[in-house]
Amino acid sequence: MTRSYIAFLRAVNVGGRTITMERLRGHFTELGLGDVRSYIQSGNVFFTAEETDRAALTARIEEHLAAALGYRVPVMLRTVDEVAELVAADPFAGIEVTPQLRLCVVFLSEPLPTESVFPIRGPRGDWEIIGAVPGAAFTVVRLRNGRLGGNPAAALPGSYRGHGTSRFFHTVVKILNAARR
């Protein structure tokens, strides 16, 4: 049975690590994945695969990208249906969006520590993790002087040993819509 996946890549086209989406799609195609497409320059790749072992598929993609690019690219792999469930759950319901507020989904490679108690607030009050599910944390970020104070994935507790990559919630909705096309 073929599954439709979305790969959320961390550290793509930031910090001097640049890659064209055409080249990135080529790396996914080299792995024998089907219907490979991408969305915007921040490392969102859609594809189909017969593989159902997510850990093995993630490891295969990460190993291939590391060999091809010369640096590690953590991959948070989700099915299109899982992203649809996340969006439908509306994790930010009841939060009034203002020009100084950003709603972010941090896709996680591992669940947050079980001792996590929400909300988890940043020491400067510029972010808070309001909740989480096993594959994602929901973060509200307050702008300082009109700018993000950093990557919302950095808001993860120090005891967290996995990886995270963040996307604005409205971008996650756009990614889901593009993946469904």
Side-chain angles (χ1 to χ4, degrees):
M1 179 174 152
T2 301
R3 286 189 175 183
S4 296
Y5 289 98
I6 302 172
F8 295 94
L9 308 182
R10 180 172 181 245
V12 170
N13 290 337
V14 295
R17 294 180 170 179
T18 59
I19 183 170
T20 66
M21 290 303 100
E22 179 181 5
R23 183 172 171 219
L24 185 60
R25 289 189 302 270
H27 291 308
F28 276 73
T29 301
E30 289 167 2
L31 287 166
L33 304 172
D35 303 317
V36 178
R37 297 178 292 128
S38 59
Y39 181 78
I40 62 178
Q41 297 294 315
S42 60
N44 309 293
V45 181
F46 317 133
F47 63 92
T48 58
E50 298 288 327
E51 288 180 61
T52 57
D53 183 337
R54 184 188 320 246
L57 181 56
T58 299
R60 196 161 68 92
I61 294 168
E62 288 179 343
E63 289 167 10
H64 184 76
L65 291 175
L69 302 176
Y71 55 87
R72 189 162 186 256
V73 179
V75 175
M76 277 41 78
L77 194 58
R78 303 292 179 270
T79 66
V80 171
D81 290 342
E82 288 168 340
V83 176
E85 288 173 16
L86 185 145
V87 168
D90 195 9
F92 300 102
I95 296 176
E96 182 181 345
V97 177
T98 69
Q100 296 302 311
L101 201 78
R102 299 293 182 271
L103 308 177
C104 298
V105 176
V106 181
F107 289 96
L108 305 170
S109 63
E110 305 291 332
L112 288 177
T114 55
E115 68 272 9
S116 298
V117 177
F118 304 104
I120 301 170
R121 292 184 176 87
R124 293 181 296 179
D126 54 349
W127 59 263
E128 67 181 303
I129 301 173
I130 61 168
V133 295
F138 309 113
T139 306
V140 176
V141 180
R142 287 163 188 77
L143 301 183
R144 301 184 116 207
N145 300 320
R147 299 176 59 160
L148 282 177
N151 181 349
L156 298 174
S159 61
Y160 183 68
R161 296 294 171 229
H163 296 283
T165 188
S166 63
R167 303 293 186 272
F168 292 126
F169 185 65
H170 69 273
T171 303
V172 173
V173 173
K174 291 177 183 178
I175 289 168
L176 175 60
N177 290 335
R180 287 177 162 167
R181 287 187 213 129

